[in-house]
Amino acid sequence: MDVIVKTISRIMFPFILLFGAYLALYGHLSPGGAFPAGAVIASGFVLLFLAYSGLEYKILGNRLIGIMALGMLTVIAIHAGYTFRGELLSIQSPLGIWSGGFTIILNIIGSMVVAAALIVLIYSMLREKG
Amino acid sequence: MKRVALLLLLLAFGGILINAVLMLPGFGSFRNKAVAEYYLEHGLEDTGSANLVNSVVWDYRGYDTLGEEIVLFTSAVGIFLISVKEVGNNRERSR
């Protein structure tokens, strides 16, 4: 790709990840949550894969399915043993960062799972032959 | 003969669906308010999160979100399996 596209995507990548992390961490206070955060993080990575044309081989290989499966298992384990609501992390104030109980942990892990799933989709489209 | 039977079957199903649509409540009416009002009133003190959508999605209806994530995972794995032809770490690829 062009030099301009490569440079700008390299500059914008950490800010896109930062925005996705903000959406995931503040999911219980402002509109956001796991699904838009995962989509934003995935689009940051996809921008790099489109600008640099061989990057997905060097970074990921085929380990992405393993990462996604690990995240999926963690989400299932937390959901299956989900008995605490607000008593685990004590409710300090209605708008504090730790006010949601387990939802912040679920938001973080869920955003990783969604980002990994979307990256796998784009990756399999990039690696398709013929 | 088969066409007549199929046509009658289609008309029967169409009639059932049209009847079901006509039995729906009118546009803008709101009959069962109990669950929604409970979520609006007790959402903050039950879960502690100010975002009620987040509290419904991850707390009150958390298992439905789990099922949705399983569907997302299944679709990603399915597309990966049918489109990537060589499975294995492709480190030594030369361009």
Side-chain angles (χ1 to χ4, degrees):
Chain A
M1 275 257 180
D2 214 5
V3 169
I4 300 179
V5 174
K6 287 184 181 179
T7 313
I8 295 294
S9 63
R10 214 172 49 208
I11 292 176
M12 285 300 298
F13 176 68
F15 295 106
I16 296 177
L17 287 191
L18 182 69
F19 182 58
Y22 162 73
L23 284 178
L25 286 173
Y26 272 76
H28 55 287
L29 299 175
S30 64
F35 296 100
V40 166
I41 291 175
S43 64
F45 276 100
V46 165
L47 178 66
L48 274 188
F49 288 166
L50 290 176
Y52 290 88
S53 82
L55 193 66
E56 65 264 14
Y57 297 100
K58 295 193 195 110
I59 288 186
L60 296 172
N62 281 334
R63 289 170 295 187
L64 196 55
I65 294 282
I67 297 175
M68 201 170 62
L70 261 174
M72 205 56 223
L73 283 176
T74 318
V75 167
I76 288 177
I78 289 183
H79 260 290
Y82 183 54
T83 54
F84 310 105
R85 245 192 325 214
E87 290 84 9
L88 175 69
L89 312 167
S90 66
I91 301 179
Q92 308 162 351
S93 67
L95 288 177
I97 189 81
W98 288 112
S99 62
F102 249 103
T103 52
I104 183 171
I105 301 176
L106 288 172
N107 271 332
I108 293 172
I109 300 179
S111 74
M112 290 196 300
V113 170
V114 171
L118 290 175
I119 292 176
V120 161
L121 280 177
I122 304 292
Y123 174 76
S124 57
M125 276 192 256
L126 285 175
R127 277 196 68 173
E128 190 181 15
K129 289 194 170 29
Chain B
M1 184 54 205
K2 223 193 282 189
R3 288 190 181 189
V4 173
L6 278 177
L7 194 61
L8 282 179
L9 201 61
L10 276 177
L11 282 177
F13 273 127
I16 290 175
L17 283 177
I18 290 175
N19 196 17
V21 166
L22 285 175
M23 271 170 38
L24 284 176
F27 192 69
S29 73
F30 191 27
R31 285 210 280 207
N32 277 338
K33 303 185 195 224
V35 179
E37 280 182 355
Y38 180 83
Y39 286 162
L40 284 177
E41 252 184 62
H42 300 279
L44 181 61
E45 71 199 35
D46 273 348
T47 64
S49 76
N51 193 8
L52 287 180
V53 176
N54 186 73
S55 80
V56 169
V57 162
W58 290 100
D59 197 317
Y60 288 114
R61 295 274 181 261
Y63 287 108
D64 301 342
T65 308
L66 177 68
E68 186 172 333
E69 283 194 17
I70 289 177
V71 166
L72 181 68
F73 174 73
T74 307
S75 69
V77 168
I79 290 185
F80 180 79
L81 282 177
I82 68 171
S83 66
V84 171
K85 289 297 185 279
E86 66 269 0
V87 179
N89 248 342
N90 232 355
R91 296 283 185 91
E92 63 273 3
R93 176 185 164 87
S94 61
R95 282 186 290 117

